[in-house]
């Protein structure tokens, strides 16, 4: 069983890594060209948190955002299965353990930033 606390710590580590990586910040600048910023909200089990992305940094915020561009809602197990490659996101959507709401096209730059920063938040 996946631990939501470990997943959240992984997201905090990701934000720290983004803010320390010139390569990740370069991706932020290119992705957010023309935007003030973007907000990705996550609901993992009963925990809600979001990441605010600006062109020069990212910030982890505990709690929900009232204006997210993207919401990813998942069970801790589904999230862990997805990021470790145990299950495909499309299968998790079909099972009803993963929901993607809003600007799903923003998942790709998020994955690219996470890979560049070298931190994949899993439980």
């Amino acid at each position: 069983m996946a631990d939501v606390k470990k997943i959240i710590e992984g997201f905090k580590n990701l934000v720290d890594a983004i803010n320390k990586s010139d390569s990740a910040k370069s991706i932020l600048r290119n992705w957010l060209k023309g935007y003030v910023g973007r907000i990705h909200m996550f609901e993992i089990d009963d925990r809600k948190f979001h990441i605010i992305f600006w062109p020069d940094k990212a910030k982890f915020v505990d709690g929900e955002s009232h204006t997210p561009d993207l919401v990813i809602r998942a069970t801790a197990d589904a999230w862990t299965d997805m990021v470790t490659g145990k299950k495909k996101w499309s299968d998790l959507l079909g099972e009803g353990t993963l929901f993607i709401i809003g600007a799903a096209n923003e998942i790709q730059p998020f994955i690219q930033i996470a890979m560049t920063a070298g931190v994949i938040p899993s439980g």
Side-chain angles (χ1 to χ4, degrees), residues 10-31:
F11 274 98
K12 290 177 181 178
N13 292 337
L14 171 61
V15 168
D16 288 342
I18 290 168
N19 290 330
K20 293 175 183 172
S21 168
D22 290 336
S23 298
K25 287 192 252 185
S26 176
I27 295 168
L28 281 178
R29 280 190 297 279
N30 289 332
W31 169 35

Side-chain angles (χ1 to χ4, degrees), residues 102-115:
N105 61 307
E106 294 197 353
I107 293 171
Q108 181 58 37
F110 175 78
I111 292 169
Q112 185 180 12
I113 290 167
M115 298 294 283

Side-chain angles (χ1 to χ4, degrees), residues 52-115:
I52 304 171
F53 297 99
W54 290 287
D56 61 342
K57 65 181 176 179
K59 180 180 179 183
F60 177 93
V61 181
D62 201 17
E64 80 182 282
S65 167
H66 298 289
T67 57
D69 298 289
L70 172 68
V71 177
I72 296 178
R73 184 178 299 144
T75 65
D77 289 335
W79 177 264
T80 300
D81 288 348
M82 179 179 65
V83 299
T84 60
K86 185 176 177 184
K87 289 189 178 182
K88 294 180 183 179
W89 63 268
S90 55
D91 293 337
L92 295 167
L93 287 170
E95 293 172 4
T97 56
L98 171 71
F99 297 89
I100 299 170
I101 303 161
N105 61 307
E106 294 197 353
I107 293 171
Q108 181 58 37
F110 175 78
I111 292 169
Q112 185 180 12
I113 290 167
M115 298 294 283

Side-chain angles (χ1 to χ4, degrees), residues 43-59:
E43 299 177 8
I44 309 293
D45 286 347
D46 62 345
R47 296 291 304 272
K48 294 180 183 181
F49 55 94
H50 58 283
I51 299 174
I52 304 171
F53 297 99
W54 290 287
D56 61 342
K57 65 181 176 179
K59 180 180 179 183

